[in-house]
Amino acid sequence: MSPAPGDEVWVEHPCYPLTHAQLLLAKVRPHAIPVDAQGMIVNTGRRMAPRAGAVFVTPSHQFPTGVAMSMARRLELLAWARESGAFVVEDDYTSEFRYSGPPLASLQGLDDSERVIYVGTLNKALFPGLRIGYAVVPRALLQAFIGARYLIDRQPATLQQAVVSEFMGQGHFAAHIRRIRQLYREQRDALAETLTRRAAGKLDVTLPDQGMHLVAYLRDGSSDVEIEAAAQRAGIIVRAVSRFYRVARPRPGLMLGFSGFPRQLIVPAASRLATLVANRGAN
Ligand SMILES: Cc1ncc(COP(=O)(O)O)c(C=O)c1O
C-alpha cells in the first residue's frame, strides 16, 4: 500500500516545513507525531494514526532539533512499518556531515522487508543550486518512482550528473567531504563554545553529532521570535525554532547554521548574539 490523496501519514513534529507543504500538495493527511530526545515517538504515532500509509523522518539529524533517532526507536518504527505495510521515507539530508559519536545504521540498512525509501542529496555537500538528489527505493516502488520522475520534469539534467560522477571517480568528492567535515566541526565547536561562554545560564546549547546547524534553547522561555527579529536588526540571521511547531507548545530556541561562515565570522557574530540574549533576559 502506498499513500494516495486522503490517506493518513505521519510526519515529525516539529518538522522540515517543505516536507509538510509537499504532503499537503499531495493531498494526504499529515499527523504531527512528536519528537523527543530519541526521535519520533512511534507509540504516539501508533495511537494517533494506526492506519497511516507512510511516515516521513529525518533519523540521523532530526530537522530542526538535531536529535539522532535511537536504535530502539529505529527498530520500533521498522517493526510498525512491517506490521502495517506502511512505507518509511528516510530523509538523510546531511549524511556526509557526521562529526562525532558512533556511526548510525540507516533505517534503509536495517530494513529487511523493503519498507524504506532512502533519500539523500548532493546539494548540501556540493552546492545548493546543483539540484541532484538520489533515492534507494524498494523494488515494488521502482516503476512508480520512474513514472513520477518522468512526470515531474521528464528527465534529470545529465550534464551535471556526468560532471559529478567524474568528480567522484577522480576522488575529489571524498577529499572535499573530508576537508569540509573538519572545517564544519571546527565551526560548530567555535559557535557552541562562544555561545556557552558568553551566555551561560541563558542558553542550552546542543552539540549535534551531525548536520549543518545547532539549536540553542532559551532557558528562561523568552520569545525566540522576538530574538530572531532583534538578531536580524543586528545583522545576524537566526531562525526561531517555534516557527517549526504547529500543534504542541514549542520549546523556544534558536536554530543556528554553522556551515556557511568561517570561524572568524562565526565567533564575533555568536558573541553579539549572546550579548543580545543575555541583555534581553536582564530587561
Ligand atoms: C530536512 C531536509 N530535507 C531535505 C532537504 C532538501 O535539500 P535539497 O532540496 O537542497 O536537496 C533539506 C534542505 O535544507 C532539509 O533541511
Side-chain angles (χ1 to χ4, degrees):
M1 175 184 85
S2 65
D7 283 357
E8 295 176 302
V9 302
W10 299 359
V11 67
E12 293 166 322
H13 186 257
C15 81
Y16 183 51
L18 291 186
T19 298
H20 190 253
Q22 291 286 352
L23 294 174
L24 296 182
L25 278 177
K27 296 193 165 45
V28 294
R29 287 189 288 150
H31 285 270
I33 312 299
V35 166
D36 66 10
Q38 290 193 64
M40 179 184 265
I41 308 176
V42 178
N43 264 336
T44 307
R46 282 179 182 269
R47 222 178 31 249
M48 282 174 69
R51 280 182 296 280
V55 49
F56 293 79
V57 279
T58 48
S60 50
H61 182 256
Q62 203 276 325
F63 187 101
T65 63
V67 163
M69 188 183 270
S70 68
M71 182 54 89
R73 284 283 167 80
R74 285 171 195 251
L75 297 176
E76 218 180 319
L77 185 57
L78 289 172
W80 169 76
R82 200 167 44 237
E83 272 163 40
S84 67
F87 285 107
V88 177
V89 177
E90 177 172 27
D91 176 359
D92 202 4
Y93 68 111
T94 58
S95 56
E96 295 88 359
F97 304 115
R98 185 149 185 89
Y99 311 111
S100 44
L104 295 173
S106 66
L107 290 170
Q108 199 276 338
L110 292 168
D111 172 31
D112 56 11
S113 310
E114 301 247 337
R115 306 316 307 166
V116 177
I117 300 161
Y118 177 95
V119 290
T121 177
L122 295 177
N123 305 320
K124 297 206 168 287
L126 291 172
F127 55 97
L130 181 63
R131 312 316 306 154
I132 297 181
Y134 49 91
V136 181
V137 304
R139 256 175 287 269
L141 295 182
L142 192 57
Q143 281 312 319
F145 263 74
I146 293 170
R149 188 65 184 81
Y150 191 79
L151 276 179
I152 292 166
D153 63 355
R154 196 145 176 265
Q155 64 191 42
T158 45
L159 180 60
Q160 286 92 321
Q161 292 201 38
V163 173
V164 170
S165 164
E166 191 78 2
F167 188 71
M168 287 177 163
Q170 292 178 6
H172 300 304
F173 183 74
H176 167 71
I177 294 299
R178 276 195 301 277
R179 192 175 63 78
I180 56 172
R181 194 189 287 140
Q182 171 69 18
L183 211 63
Y184 289 179
R185 184 194 289 122
E186 287 165 15
Q187 290 169 194
R188 175 198 67 168
D189 293 346
L191 175 60
E193 275 161 26
T194 312
L195 291 174
T196 306
R197 201 175 57 248
R198 303 292 295 262
K202 297 285 179 193
L203 292 174
D204 271 332
V205 180
T206 59
L207 199 68
D209 286 328
Q210 188 160 331
M212 300 161 89
H213 73 261
L214 60 75
V215 178
Y217 289 101
L218 297 162
R219 277 212 185 152
D220 62 2
S222 346
S223 159
D224 52 8
V225 174
E226 281 176 21
I227 292 178
E228 178 190 72
Q232 187 165 11
R233 285 193 294 274
I236 306 161
I237 305 297
V238 307
R239 291 185 86 184
V241 166
S242 63
R243 293 196 182 281
F244 301 109
Y245 286 78
R246 289 180 311 279
V247 284
R249 201 174 123 77
R251 184 178 174 200
L254 308 173
M255 184 177 154
L256 304 166
F258 52 75
S259 63
F261 307 96
R263 199 179 182 287
Q264 309 85 280
L265 286 181
I266 287 182
V267 171
S271 296
R272 292 206 322 275
L273 179 66
T275 307
L276 199 143
V277 169
N279 290 344
R280 278 189 92 74
N283 290 336

